[in-house]
Amino acid sequence: MIDITSPESRAKFYASTKWRQLRLSILERDNYECLWCKELGKLNDRNTVVLEVDHIVELEHHPEFALDPMNLRTLCKNCHNKRHKRFEHRPSKAKRWDDEWFGY
Ligand SMILES: [Zn+2]
């Protein structure tokens, strides 16, 4: 099982080749479109937004699904931030979340 119990180990996970490759395959699978925006009828793809790959069940609680494509989906940065309510915690530090890899 993947160790993601500390911020260091999570950073390592997000930097791993395995994750980087899987992340790309998820983006491709989802056509490089934000799934939430798409549901709302807004097309946001890599030309208009920053896309990130989200763990549907949180990595921290379910490391066994860390690399399970069924547990991954493409969200744009805005939707992803909303999902994790990052704006509420760090309104002035939004820039830190450029990539999910930096976020945990
Ligand atoms: Zn979105």
Side-chain angles (χ1 to χ4, degrees):
M1 194 187 286
I2 299 159
D3 170 33
I4 43 83
T5 46
S6 70
E8 290 76 23
S9 57
R10 282 196 288 280
K12 211 170 157 191
F13 168 75
Y14 284 120
S16 69
T17 309
K18 233 182 185 168
W19 166 250
R20 308 298 275 173
Q21 283 172 350
L22 179 63
R23 184 182 178 278
L24 275 179
S25 74
I26 298 301
L27 291 170
E28 244 170 68
R29 182 198 69 188
D30 293 343
N31 283 325
Y32 292 90
E33 289 168 6
C34 171
L35 298 185
W36 283 11
C37 288
K38 203 176 169 184
E39 260 175 44
L40 295 172
K42 292 182 280 177
L43 179 65
N44 270 330
D45 63 17
R46 58 182 155 171
N47 298 315
T48 48
V49 289
V50 178
L51 293 170
E52 298 179 342
V53 173
D54 178 45
H55 283 92
I56 295 167
V57 298
E58 301 260 358
L59 186 56
E60 279 176 73
H61 308 304
H62 289 283
E64 69 271 29
F65 299 134
L67 293 167
D68 184 346
M70 292 294 290
N71 188 42
L72 296 166
R73 64 184 166 195
T74 303
L75 293 181
C76 72
K77 192 176 168 174
N78 284 345
C79 291
H80 202 198
N81 281 334
K82 252 184 250 166
R83 161 166 159 71
H84 292 293
K85 298 196 168 59
R86 284 165 178 169
F87 287 136
E88 288 172 28
H89 298 306
R90 294 177 176 270
S92 62
K93 295 244 172 108
K95 248 198 129 186
R96 266 194 71 196
W97 314 114
D98 270 339
D99 193 306
E100 177 153 299
W101 159 17
F102 294 111
Y104 285 92

